[in-house]
Amino acid sequence: MAEEDVIDLLTAQHGRIRDMFDEVEQAPPEKLAQAFDRLTRMLSVHETAEEEIVHPYARRRLDNGHGVVGDRLEEESRAKRMLVDLHRKGVDDPGFWDGLGRLRTAVTAHARSEERYEFARLRAGTSVLERRAMAAAVRAAEACAPALPHPGAESAARNLLLGTPLALMDRAREAITKALGKR
């Protein structure tokens, strides 16, 4: 496997997330819940890894890192709350499509802000070796990340403390739901 740059990795994931929104919007009714679950999982895992690895590093390394990261965390928290609300109500809720549109707008704006204000400055202020190490750390964080968003856990410390137990609970819930034939 070729070594990755964390900025390239996360930017590619932003593109994949945009594609996954398209997949949800184009899914036939019988596959909508599964497509939305895949999007939910991707968003949860992606944000958790950023919160554990990238944001703390940016906070320390960038001029006004606390401000840059603070703004991103506020955006992430808002998007998580929207996603949890959509997930709780389900794809059959009459407000699902409007909510999904609002979520997509929020997530897209957040990704643009990350790429412009955080990632570009990280690329300029870090070495290739640092970015490769961060990519490896992001991959490891993703492997332990919860499958569902958990608003309020937007810090590295909270994610590290709660992430693995939440991930286990999320995966157990998924297995039980699947076994019962509910999705």
Side-chain angles (χ1 to χ4, degrees):
M1 179 164 90
E3 294 179 20
E4 298 180 272
D5 179 299
V6 71
I7 306 303
D8 295 338
L9 169 65
L10 295 173
T11 302
Q13 287 181 356
H14 287 171
R16 179 69 185 125
I17 288 166
R18 285 189 299 273
D19 292 344
M20 292 176 91
F21 271 105
D22 290 342
E23 290 171 16
V24 171
E25 291 171 356
Q26 297 166 10
E30 68 275 6
K31 300 214 180 214
L32 178 58
Q34 293 90 347
F36 183 60
D37 286 347
R38 285 191 301 275
L39 172 64
T40 299
R41 174 182 228 119
M42 178 66 174
L43 287 169
S44 181
V45 166
H46 173 84
E47 292 305 332
T48 298
E50 285 181 341
E51 291 162 6
E52 288 180 14
I53 308 302
V54 180
H55 296 329
Y57 200 82
R59 185 179 277 126
R60 289 189 310 272
R61 292 293 301 263
L62 301 179
D63 288 336
N64 188 31
H66 286 280
V68 170
V69 171
D71 291 345
R72 302 302 69 80
L73 292 176
E74 285 180 31
E75 295 161 2
E76 289 172 12
S77 182
R78 276 192 302 273
K80 282 182 183 181
R81 286 192 306 274
M82 284 188 229
L83 187 56
V84 165
D85 187 52
L86 277 174
H87 212 271
R88 188 177 302 118
K89 291 178 181 176
V91 298
D92 295 326
D93 184 79
F96 175 79
W97 292 107
D98 288 339
L100 184 70
R102 286 189 300 277
L103 176 65
R104 184 177 192 149
T105 298
V107 167
T108 301
H110 167 68
R112 266 195 312 268
S113 293
E114 275 184 336
E115 291 170 11
R116 181 176 182 186
Y117 301 113
E118 187 174 5
F119 295 176
R121 293 173 62 195
L122 270 175
R123 188 182 302 276
T126 56
S127 70
V128 170
L129 190 58
E130 287 172 296
R131 292 191 307 277
R132 285 181 180 164
M134 286 173 48
V138 162
R139 289 288 190 199
E142 289 174 340
C144 299
L148 296 171
H150 296 278
E154 284 84 26
S155 73
R158 281 195 165 168
N159 275 315
L160 291 172
L161 179 64
L162 300 173
T164 300
L166 290 172
L168 291 171
M169 289 182 346
D170 290 346
R171 285 170 177 82
R173 186 182 310 110
E174 286 177 354
I176 291 166
T177 302
K178 188 174 183 179
L180 294 174
K182 293 188 177 182
R183 283 217 180 173

